[in-house]
Amino acid sequence: YAFRCGTLCITRGDHATKLLQYCGQPVSVDTRYAERSVTTRFGRVIPGYREEVKIEEWVYNFGPSQLLRIVRLENDIVAKVDTRGYGY
């Protein structure tokens, strides 16, 4: 899923610096850390190995005529984009 900031597009896999450059500062940021299994690039789990992941949810409010955008970043990479109700 992607969304536009002006004429520029944000998609899964983009870095947080691109998000900041194109969309500016979010209205809120929620940060937490989680632990997950380490996988190979082919998707196989490597037994006994775990990694800590920084998970952030950035909320963008573009006003009452547009939906709120919730951008989930994992280790500063866009992992998911959701929408919520209209902004304020």
Side-chain angles (χ1 to χ4, degrees):
Y1 186 75
F3 77 100
R4 292 193 176 277
C5 285
T7 60
L8 305 169
C9 193
I10 299 296
T11 61
R12 188 172 187 247
D14 286 340
H15 196 273
T17 54
K18 180 180 176 183
L19 183 60
L20 284 171
Q21 179 183 0
Y22 288 5
C23 303
Q25 291 290 329
V27 294
S28 70
V29 175
D30 179 37
T31 304
R32 66 184 184 280
Y33 291 87
E35 202 174 270
R36 68 178 171 201
S37 299
V38 175
T39 58
T40 67
R41 63 184 171 149
F42 304 110
R44 292 190 64 195
V45 173
I46 301 173
Y49 288 92
R50 310 276 297 161
E51 67 179 342
E52 185 176 73
V53 180
K54 180 174 90 172
I55 300 169
E56 294 182 308
E57 288 188 344
W58 294 11
V59 177
Y60 282 94
N61 176 12
F62 298 114
S65 63
Q66 295 189 41
L67 297 172
L68 291 171
R69 305 288 184 192
I70 304 353
V71 182
R72 179 185 169 121
L73 295 109
E74 295 181 1
N75 291 334
D76 296 325
I77 302 295
V78 174
K80 185 177 181 183
V81 178
D82 283 326
T83 57
R84 298 270 164 79
Y86 284 94
Y88 45 91

